[in-house]
Amino acid sequence: MSNFTFGFSGDDIEIDENEETSAPSDAQAITNEGQFIIDPLPSACHSLKELVSQLPSHLSYSLRPFTLQTSKHVLRIPCRELFEIRAQLMIEDPSPGSSHGPTEALLSGLDNDDIKTNVYEGGFKTWECASDLAAAAEEWFCKNAGDNLGPRHIIELGVGTAIPTLVLFAFLLQSWQKQSYYFPPIHFTLCDYNHTVLRLATLPNLFLTWLLLKDKKRGGNGGDECIDPQGDIEVTPATQESFIRELEERNITIFFVSGAWGDQFTKFIAERAGSIENFADKSNIGLVTLVMASETIYSPLTIGIFSKTLMGILRLASKSNNRSELKGVIAEALVAAKRIYFGVGGGVDEYVKLVENDGGVVNEVSGVAEEGGGIYMSIISAGDAIYE
């Protein structure tokens, strides 16, 4: 498993509140072993209210235990059941037509964990490294808690079922309930190649996490009571409105980006960061950015554009914070991955080369080794982004 940290400087871009779409300039159509791969999906922005309005009237879920590293408290993280996602896909597109179409590719991904390049990139599956990334992110968050730091921008690339984000989100909500930490405004930007994944998995899992934390008997996160590991809830307009209102009251914002990595994708992230930095400037405190990604470097076809996109995001994130009075980490990334993806070709070593060639410095900070040492964690940092 790998964790990486970066920090850079770059140009600022002002945000446009309206949704935009544009074909990426870097991720072009490619061929693999002589077979043509379709053009990548264009990047697009999606608001929280947009996706909340599209929630179905019923959600089935199962609970996944996660032990917080700092307190050893067990969180129970809800994830929407795959059978229900499948049913919704089939209802929405009962006659998908071509066996190679997007709906068929999504259904195949649910059945067989299949990935179809530039159609479906595995977002319905919870990948093995996600829990280790969640643990590292929680430790980072607690280390950076305090009232002397500015707002946080948490970005997860390839978010899928969003386990790392859900752990941070649940930790935040519980901490507010217990008033055990002070947290400045928190901004989440959640990104997945497929808008359908954001709509049917990512946002429902966030909504379920919030709702079950309010229902201690059902969610089990407020005590040691015996709970059912599976359940169902009805989604009402009242709960949807309450979800949005409560996040606003707690200074939590959530924003979504779909589509391929590349220049336009990076621009959307920068626009999002720009609106947050405007708030930070008014407060005379800097924006602290964490970028997370789990198992996004398995493919030689996309590892280059991923590393370029990630470093571009962090260069932009550091621009307005390049001030001598700000202490601590400005922009950091945690990227979880296996050292080698056998039979695929990607992995940590190739990624490290790309980052070093682009000015990053690799530092391993922790490791989770499988038998034979196949998985480990590390951090890649850029010195000009860290103030002692």
Side-chain angles (χ1 to χ4, degrees):
M1 172 94 26
S2 296
N3 277 342
F4 304 101
T5 203
F6 309 74
F8 305 88
S9 62
D11 295 326
D12 223 331
I13 307 173
E14 292 191 2
I15 193 166
D16 184 350
E17 297 295 335
N18 299 319
E19 178 176 322
E20 301 179 46
T21 62
S22 177
S25 60
D26 294 288
Q28 302 298 324
I30 53 179
T31 60
N32 181 18
E33 298 179 352
Q35 295 182 347
F36 180 73
I37 299 176
I38 68 171
D39 289 337
L41 294 174
S43 301
C45 303
H46 314 279
S47 70
L48 177 64
K49 289 183 179 179
E50 172 197 336
L51 295 192
V52 168
S53 71
Q54 297 172 16
L55 280 169
S57 60
H58 178 277
L59 290 172
S60 298
Y61 64 88
S62 57
L63 295 173
R64 303 185 182 197
F66 179 87
T67 303
L68 293 172
Q69 301 302 299
T70 52
S71 66
K72 303 307 178 184
H73 178 75
V74 177
L75 287 176
R76 294 171 178 86
I77 302 299
C79 286
R80 192 182 183 193
E81 294 281 19
L82 292 181
F83 74 81
E84 188 176 65
I85 294 175
R86 171 202 301 281
Q88 186 171 349
L89 279 171
M90 296 179 70
I91 290 170
E92 292 178 348
D93 191 1
S95 301
S98 169
S99 61
H100 302 290
T103 299
E104 287 298 328
L106 292 169
L107 290 170
S108 177
L110 283 168
D111 287 336
N112 307 312
D113 294 335
D114 288 341
I115 293 175
K116 186 174 178 62
T117 302
N118 291 345
V119 178
Y120 169 68
E121 297 291 347
F124 290 128
K125 172 183 171 65
T126 298
W127 296 85
E128 292 175 333
C129 294
S131 293
D132 294 303
L133 176 60
E138 181 231 332
E139 290 190 60
W140 177 94
F141 207 91
C142 291
K143 180 181 69 176
N144 287 281
D147 58 5
N148 61 328
L149 293 174
R152 310 292 197 278
H153 188 191
I154 310 298
I155 304 167
E156 186 169 357
L157 305 177
V159 64
T161 58
I163 296 299
T165 291
L166 295 178
V167 167
L168 290 183
F169 187 59
F171 175 72
L172 279 170
L173 295 178
Q174 278 203 332
S175 298
W176 262 301
Q177 289 175 352
K178 299 176 181 178
Q179 296 183 339
S180 55
Y181 285 93
Y182 164 81
F183 291 114
I186 308 295
H187 309 272
F188 289 97
T189 300
L190 307 181
C191 313
D192 196 274
Y193 183 76
N194 296 101
H195 169 250
T196 305
V197 169
L198 295 172
R199 182 171 61 87
L200 301 187
T202 310
L203 187 277
N205 288 349
L206 283 163
F207 182 81
L208 286 164
T209 299
W210 166 80
L211 191 61
L212 296 186
L213 278 169
K214 295 173 71 69
D215 186 345
K216 293 182 173 61
K217 183 177 181 181
R218 180 180 289 180
N221 287 310
D224 299 324
E225 59 266 42
C226 181
I227 59 167
D228 191 335
Q230 297 176 312
D232 304 89
I233 65 161
E234 299 300 320
V235 179
T236 67
T239 55
Q240 290 170 297
E241 292 172 6
S242 179
F243 175 61
I244 293 172
R245 182 177 62 254
E246 188 166 322
L247 295 189
E248 290 176 348
E249 290 172 352
R250 295 182 175 182
N251 287 322
I252 300 176
T253 66
I254 306 176
F255 187 73
F256 302 86
V257 180
S258 63
W261 297 317
D263 289 342
Q264 188 63 46
F265 181 93
T266 304
K267 178 184 176 182
F268 285 145
I269 301 296
E271 290 173 344
R272 163 72 165 158
S275 67
I276 301 170
E277 287 163 2
N278 288 336
F279 173 87
D281 289 341
K282 292 176 183 178
S283 305
N284 199 32
I285 48 179
L287 174 66
V288 178
T289 300
L290 172 66
V291 183
M292 306 184 294
S294 177
E295 309 218 44
T296 50
I297 60 173
Y298 63 86
S299 171
L301 299 175
T302 56
I303 191 171
I305 190 61
F306 172 77
S307 62
K308 179 181 178 181
T309 299
L310 178 60
M311 295 183 73
I313 290 170
L314 289 162
R315 286 189 175 105
L316 290 163
S318 295
K319 193 267 180 184
S320 68
N321 285 328
N322 192 16
R323 299 181 298 184
S324 60
E325 71 268 20
L326 183 63
K327 305 297 182 180
V329 174
I330 305 303
E332 186 169 358
L334 302 174
V335 178
K338 295 175 182 174
R339 175 186 283 275
I340 299 173
Y341 289 89
F342 294 102
V344 181
V348 167
D349 291 343
E350 178 63 23
Y351 183 58
V352 166
K353 290 179 184 178
L354 290 168
V355 172
E356 289 181 330
N357 289 340
D358 206 0
V361 179
V362 181
N363 298 295
E364 183 176 350
V365 294
S366 61
V368 180
E370 290 182 337
E371 186 175 351
I375 293 180
Y376 76 97
M377 254 184 203
S378 59
I379 288 184
I380 297 175
S381 62
D384 62 342
I386 300 177
Y387 294 82
E388 299 297 339

